[in-house]
């Protein structure tokens, strides 16, 4: 099955021959290698690049074990690209497999040579356009900023969005939304036929891959039970306001385990850096400032979140909110949780300060959207409750309520747009109707 990933393919095309190392990152098994070795390779061939000018090396394969030595890899690529009159496109998959070894030319025990040295050297060859992927254990987003500085160009790949999933889904389309909010958008999920197969696949990804990556990369020892419990707690409260102190208290009260807020904050950052979760800060819309705590955490893929809980907690409202957040991130918006404060008089006549929440404030360039997620607004009282915070924002940016129901888009008398979730996810222009 060929799943189109045009959003990322077009990014690679736009960055072609720009003189930088294209570093393709993202959570494991989200389709990075397929994007590069299949989709982008096909594009290059279609545009006239000869096959011999596309050098693709999967470093996790035993046949290529020799090239995990940085000197062997460097020499091999330079030999294949020796013709300075031709432009070569070099794909190196699982670059973290390249070992860091002692520099034989320097009498210094700390002098090491690794894949970064190889990549930076190859980048200087004007007839080489370089593309690499790597696993979460050695090629995290923060590592790229540190290792490559201004010489790396990161392309972040996400699990399938609903529109990508919908096109590839081979069942009846009326079941696509239910499948997606249950099992998420990891591409291989589409090839699994039964709940048992899908569940096992997602659980194994967490247990055998993601947790191992986090432990290995961050050199965390004897902490796997705490990491497992933390993932489960955050999974249960996805979309709810929390902070490390609150989570620390939960460990103490529920697990009878003492874990400091600082340690929990560190572990949460490890999950974020490994592309397992996102963090959404709260933004005071009227005060134009960020509120550091509490905040919200969302999972990069809702199927992974559901698998952590054995598919027991299927609150569609929270899952839908997570999916909307992921969609906005995939569309490259900067996304915050909005806070609107106002004064009101209580039943005793005392003035009190009230905070209302807007699920998402999405910014891109000079565009801003205020977005509420709601299962339904069929009842007038429920609709008023959902739009109360939106009505207290005085600027003229677009205000949207996304509902689960399949509705014809409509505006109320206050100018708020109502969209069905599938239209919102399938049509990027729908927010501008």
């Amino acid at each position: 099955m060929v799943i189109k990933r045009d959003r990322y393919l077009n990014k690679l095309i736009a960055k072609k021959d720009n003189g930088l190392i294209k570093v393709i990152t993202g959570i494991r098994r989200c389709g990075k290698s397929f994007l590069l070795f299949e989709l982008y390779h096909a594009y290059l061939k279609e545009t006239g690049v000869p096959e011999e000018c596309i050098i693709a090396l999967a470093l996790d394969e035993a046949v290529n074990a020799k090239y995990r030595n940085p000197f062997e890899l460097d020499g091999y690529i330079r030999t294949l690209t020796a013709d300075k009159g031709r432009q070569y496109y070099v794909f190196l998959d699982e670059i973290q497999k390249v070992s860091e070894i002692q520099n034989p030319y320097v009498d210094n025990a700390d002098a090491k040579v690794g894949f970064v040295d190889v990549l930076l050297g190859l980048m200087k060859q004007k007839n080489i356009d370089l593309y690499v992927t790597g696993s979460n254990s050695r090629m995290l987003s923060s590592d790229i900023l540190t290792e490559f500085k201004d010489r790396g160009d990161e392309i972040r790949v996400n699990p399938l969005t609903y529109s990508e999933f919908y096109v590839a889904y081979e069942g009846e389309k009326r079941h696509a939304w239910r499948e997606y909010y249950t099992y998420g958008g990891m591409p291989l999920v589409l090839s699994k036929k039964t709940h048992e197969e899908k569940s096992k696949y997602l659980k194994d990804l967490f247990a055998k891959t993601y947790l191992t990556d986090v432990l290995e990369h961050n050199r965390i020892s004897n902490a796997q039970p705490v990491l497992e419990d933390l993932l489960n707690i955050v999974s249960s409260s996805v979309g709810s306001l929390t902070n490390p102190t609150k989570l620390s208290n939960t460990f103490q009260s529920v697990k009878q385990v003492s874990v400091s807020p600082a340690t929990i904050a560190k572990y949460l950052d490890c999950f974020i850096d490994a592309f397992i979760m996102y963090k959404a800060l709260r933004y005071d819309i009227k005060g134009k400032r960020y509120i550091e705590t509490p905040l919200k955490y969302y999972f990069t893929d809702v199927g992974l979140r559901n698998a952590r809980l054995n598919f027991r907690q299927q609150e569609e409202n929270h899952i839908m909110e997570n999916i909307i957040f992921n969609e906005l991130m995939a569309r490259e918006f900067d996304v915050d949780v909005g806070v609107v404060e106002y004064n009101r008089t209580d039943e005793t006549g005392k003035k009190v300060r009230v905070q209302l929440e807007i699920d998402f404030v999405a910014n891109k360039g000079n565009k801003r959207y205020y977005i509420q997620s709601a299962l339904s607004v069929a009842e007038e009282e429920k609709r008023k409750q959902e739009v109360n915070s939106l009505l207290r924002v005085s600027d003229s940016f677009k205000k949207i309520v996304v509902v689960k129901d399949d509705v014809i888009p409509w505006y109320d008398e206050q100018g708020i747009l109502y969209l069905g979730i599938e239209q919102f996810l399938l049509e990027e222009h729908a927010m501008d109707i």
Side-chain angles (χ1 to χ4, degrees):
M1 178 193 305
V2 176
I3 302 175
K4 292 185 177 181
R5 309 300 303 272
D6 289 345
R7 174 180 278 113
Y8 308 112
L9 178 60
N10 290 333
K11 286 183 180 182
L12 288 174
I13 293 169
K15 297 174 187 297
K16 177 174 172 283
D17 297 320
N18 69 355
L20 299 176
I21 304 166
K22 271 66 72 175
V23 186
I24 303 168
T25 66
I27 193 169
R28 278 194 194 251
R29 307 293 185 265
C30 71
K32 302 186 296 294
S33 300
F34 186 82
L35 169 68
L36 188 58
F37 278 62
E38 301 294 334
L39 301 179
Y40 191 56
H41 185 281
Y43 165 80
L44 292 177
K45 291 291 297 296
E46 290 169 3
T47 55
V49 177
E51 183 66 45
E52 62 270 21
C53 289
I54 304 173
I55 301 166
L57 199 62
L59 291 160
D60 60 336
E61 295 180 3
V63 69
N64 295 320
K66 175 181 179 180
Y67 305 114
R68 297 174 193 171
N69 179 305
F71 292 106
E72 293 288 347
L73 176 62
D74 188 71
Y76 177 67
I77 299 299
R78 289 179 187 274
T79 298
L80 293 179
T81 59
D83 186 347
K84 302 302 179 185
R86 307 187 84 179
Q87 182 70 5
Y88 295 91
Y89 298 87
V90 177
F91 303 165
L92 300 176
D93 192 32
E94 300 291 349
I95 190 66
Q96 84 286 344
K97 291 289 185 180
V98 177
S99 298
E100 189 175 61
I101 65 175
Q102 176 67 37
N103 187 338
Y105 306 107
V106 177
D107 187 17
N108 183 339
D110 295 328
K112 305 287 186 180
V113 176
F115 70 78
V116 174
D117 304 282
V118 175
L119 297 178
L120 294 179
L122 293 175
M123 185 192 75
K124 295 176 183 177
Q125 299 292 110
K126 295 188 182 298
N127 67 327
I128 294 178
D129 195 26
L130 192 56
Y131 302 78
V132 300
T133 77
S135 78
N136 294 343
S137 63
R138 289 280 303 281
M139 289 289 288
L140 301 176
S141 185
S142 59
D143 297 330
I144 293 160
L145 296 175
T146 301
E147 299 285 9
F148 298 114
K149 298 180 181 176
D150 58 347
R151 293 163 290 189
D153 206 342
E154 183 182 5
I155 297 95
R156 167 80 178 268
V157 179
N158 300 291
L160 301 177
T161 62
Y162 182 63
S163 60
E164 293 169 328
F165 178 92
Y166 187 86
V167 171
Y169 181 65
E170 295 178 340
E172 293 185 44
K173 297 300 185 184
R174 63 192 177 92
H175 297 317
W177 168 248
R178 184 184 65 194
E179 286 283 313
Y180 187 74
Y181 83 69
T182 302
Y183 301 111
M186 301 303 287
L188 276 179
V189 165
L190 283 163
S191 67
K192 310 297 180 184
K193 301 304 180 185
T194 66
H195 169 77
E196 289 74 20
E197 289 177 339
K198 295 173 184 179
S199 174
K200 183 179 186 305
Y201 172 69
L202 293 169
K203 290 176 182 178
D204 284 350
L205 275 182
F206 249 125
K208 299 177 181 179
T209 303
Y210 300 146
L211 279 173
T212 301
D213 281 343
V214 169
L215 291 165
E216 176 186 332
H217 179 76
N218 297 284
R219 297 180 175 87
I220 300 171
S221 59
N222 303 319
Q224 184 161 343
V226 173
L227 290 174
E228 297 253 16
D229 287 338
L230 180 57
L231 280 170
N232 292 339
I233 292 168
V234 176
S235 298
S236 294
S237 60
V238 69
S240 300
L241 292 171
T242 190
N243 58 35
T245 299
K246 184 177 180 180
L247 292 168
S248 176
N249 293 337
T250 299
F251 268 94
Q252 188 67 58
S253 61
V254 177
K255 300 290 182 180
Q256 285 77 53
V257 174
S258 179
V259 186
S260 73
T263 298
I264 287 179
K266 172 189 171 184
Y267 290 165
L268 289 170
D269 285 342
C270 291
F271 294 142
I272 293 166
D273 221 10
F275 310 114
I276 296 169
M277 294 190 311
Y278 288 111
K279 176 169 65 176
L281 298 176
R282 298 170 77 217
Y283 181 72
D284 181 349
I285 295 169
K286 293 185 177 180
K288 293 182 170 55
R289 61 184 179 87
Y290 281 98
I291 304 169
E292 291 189 6
T293 186
L295 61 157
K296 291 188 177 184
Y297 293 94
Y298 295 101
F299 276 76
T300 302
D301 181 78
V302 295
L304 292 170
R305 175 265 177 191
N306 294 339
R308 284 302 308 175
L309 302 172
N310 290 318
F311 299 91
R312 290 191 304 267
Q313 295 183 25
Q314 293 294 94
E315 312 94 333
E316 195 171 355
N317 55 334
H318 294 306
I319 296 172
M320 187 172 116
E321 184 180 324
N322 199 144
I323 290 171
I324 292 172
F325 179 87
N326 289 348
E327 179 68 26
L328 292 170
M329 295 298 291
R331 295 180 188 180
E332 298 188 300
F333 281 93
D334 295 317
V335 187
D336 301 311
V337 176
V339 176
V340 182
E341 293 188 340
Y342 72 100
N343 292 316
R344 72 173 179 83
T345 303
D346 65 15
E347 58 276 6
T348 66
K350 182 180 178 181
K351 287 188 176 181
V352 294
R353 191 78 170 160
V354 178
Q355 280 191 347
L356 296 176
E357 184 178 293
I358 296 175
D359 288 332
F360 304 118
V361 182
N363 294 286
K364 185 193 292 187
N366 62 356
K367 288 188 174 183
R368 171 178 288 186
Y369 301 89
Y370 298 107
I371 301 171
Q372 288 287 77
S373 171
L375 283 182
S376 176
V377 291
E379 296 179 6
E380 183 63 14
E381 191 60 33
K382 174 63 175 174
R383 187 189 71 82
K384 288 181 178 179
Q385 179 184 334
E386 291 292 343
V387 303
N388 189 20
S389 58
L390 296 176
L391 295 176
R392 295 185 182 278
V393 178
S394 58
D395 63 43
S396 58
F397 290 112
K398 196 75 165 279
K399 300 173 180 67
I400 302 171
V401 178
V402 180
V403 298
K404 177 194 170 184
D405 304 324
D406 182 16
V407 299
I408 296 173
W410 62 282
Y411 284 90
D412 66 17
E413 59 273 17
Q414 283 85 25
I416 296 171
L417 172 63
Y418 296 79
L419 286 174
I421 181 63
E422 292 198 68
Q423 183 173 8
F424 172 82
L425 296 172
L426 294 174
E427 303 173 20
E428 286 201 28
H429 71 276
M431 292 199 299
D432 297 312
I433 289 175

